[in-house]
Amino acid sequence: MTINDMAEMPVQLPRAPKNEAEGRGRYFNSGNAFNIKLPPVPPRILRDEPAKAMAKTATGWVLCDLSDELDCPFPATTPLMLARYATVLAGETLDTTLNCTASIWYMIEGSATLTVGNETAELGKGDVFLLPGGVASQINASETAVFWAVGNDPQLAFEKAAPITGSEAATGFVHYPADEIEHQLDVVYQRDANDTTSGHALIFSAAQTEASRNIAPTLTLSLNTLKPHSFQPPHKHNSAALTLAVAGDPAYSMVDDQQCDWSPWATLLTPAAAKHSHHNDGDTRAEFLIVQDGGLYYHARTMGFEFY
Ligand SMILES: [Fe+2]
């Protein structure tokens, strides 16, 4: 049977390849090449994963893995980022060597020593740190510790790539202690926000990526705050966001008109280009830590930030 519509055609194979390299060629057309419909990235607030990690029953990882839903062959929370929780029981060790350019960590509770290559740091509640990918690292807990971390592991898995380490590495190890974060946020709070800024937020960067004002080439990290009974107006951007609910009683986000109620240490998934807003209905300041694949979109000149 002859197919008249080119969109219905199957893959076209080389006629008589002279060697294996020619034989590996495949051909599609402008009708059928763009027919693959990937499942959309769902707006979501993930609560089961933090509950599992906070139960503190064993040392290990709890991945926020939506790869089945995304039809993705590797663990992923969004197509380019993976969020996870890590629990390290007192006296135990977790290997944190990851295949990503960088991962961004927040310590939810506990006390631990972090070793990254030949450097060490003492970690406490509320600390943030940036781990370069591919560098041997581990956490030794003195008091049972729980962490939240986001890396661009899926981005590298998609490309079947590995991070460059050593002097050419994209990021180094950076420690942002909780009391320093609090001080730096206070400095920001002493200034006025204007119409072009969306509330008071502390943006994390590093010596190596200072010129881009990002924390890693493709990732951005922001500690956003909302005063009592206030909200961040609806907006959208082409970067996807993974947000840790740090404080907010009560607080919620609207993502594509779906209400996502925050609960302690939940992870909010805001898909790329989804309309969203964050709301603090409580009498205390709300705080949320946002990792985005924003560096990628700034670099590509395709951030597409718009208020509604
Ligand atoms: Fe946003």
Side-chain angles (χ1 to χ4, degrees):
M1 194 179 77
T2 312
I3 297 169
N4 288 323
D5 184 346
M6 68 182 187
E8 301 297 320
M9 287 172 63
V11 60
Q12 294 163 242
L13 300 175
R15 288 164 304 166
K18 292 196 239 358
N19 51 47
E20 288 184 5
E22 287 188 15
R24 288 193 281 266
R26 299 289 184 274
Y27 305 85
F28 289 95
N29 65 61
S30 49
N32 65 5
F34 312 111
N35 270 350
I36 293 180
K37 295 274 181 283
L38 296 173
V41 179
R44 185 70 50 87
I45 187 142
L46 300 158
R47 296 193 190 85
D48 293 348
E49 290 80 358
K52 219 183 258 182
M54 297 301 285
K56 292 171 272 192
T57 50
T59 293
W61 302 95
V62 182
L63 303 184
C64 298
D65 183 11
L66 302 184
S67 55
D68 284 348
E69 215 171 317
L70 296 173
D71 194 14
C72 182
F74 39 77
T77 317
T78 71
L80 299 175
M81 294 184 289
L82 176 65
R84 76 276 266 173
Y85 297 82
T87 304
V88 191
L89 299 184
E92 297 192 0
T93 299
L94 180 69
D95 185 338
T96 52
T97 314
L98 301 175
N99 192 59
C100 53
T101 312
S103 55
I104 293 164
W105 289 66
Y106 178 85
M107 189 171 194
I108 294 171
E109 65 171 64
S111 182
T113 303
L114 169 66
T115 306
V116 184
N118 54 18
E119 292 183 88
T120 59
E122 295 306 317
L123 303 175
K125 179 178 161 56
D127 282 13
V128 168
F129 55 96
L130 175 69
L131 267 190
V135 178
S137 66
Q138 61 175 41
I139 293 169
N140 299 279
S142 41
E143 272 170 49
T144 294
V146 182
F147 300 86
W148 179 78
V150 176
N152 66 336
D153 320 51
Q155 185 188 345
L156 293 203
F158 181 56
E159 293 258 32
K160 296 192 191 301
I164 289 173
T165 57
S167 61
E168 297 299 312
T171 61
F173 164 47
V174 186
H175 183 198
Y176 309 84
D179 59 349
E180 187 63 32
I181 294 170
E182 198 181 333
H183 164 75
Q184 299 291 349
L185 186 59
D186 282 346
V187 172
V188 174
Y189 252 87
Q190 286 157 18
R191 305 291 190 280
D192 297 329
N194 64 42
D195 291 346
T196 61
T197 54
S198 46
H200 286 88
L202 184 67
I203 313 298
F204 293 72
S205 186
Q208 221 165 325
T209 49
E210 186 184 329
S212 68
R213 304 189 176 182
N214 290 345
I215 195 164
T218 65
L219 298 176
T220 58
L221 175 64
S222 174
L223 176 61
N224 281 28
T225 63
L226 282 172
K227 290 174 181 164
H229 303 282
S230 72
F231 67 99
Q232 191 187 15
H235 64 282
K236 66 171 185 175
H237 33 74
N238 290 331
S239 49
L242 292 170
T243 300
L244 178 71
V246 175
D249 185 23
Y252 67 95
S253 298
M254 296 298 299
V255 185
D256 272 345
D257 299 322
Q258 181 181 315
Q259 180 164 337
C260 299
D261 292 323
W262 296 12
S263 56
W265 315 118
T267 295
L268 175 73
L269 192 186
T270 309
K275 175 185 175 182
H276 59 283
S277 56
H278 306 295
H279 305 256
N280 181 11
D281 281 354
D283 298 329
T284 53
R285 186 160 92 182
E287 294 189 8
F288 44 118
L289 201 61
I290 307 176
V291 179
Q292 295 187 24
D293 47 12
L296 194 68
Y297 294 91
Y298 279 120
H299 177 66
R301 286 76 165 164
T302 54
M303 187 50 125
F305 186 100
E306 273 175 46
F307 282 112
Y308 278 84

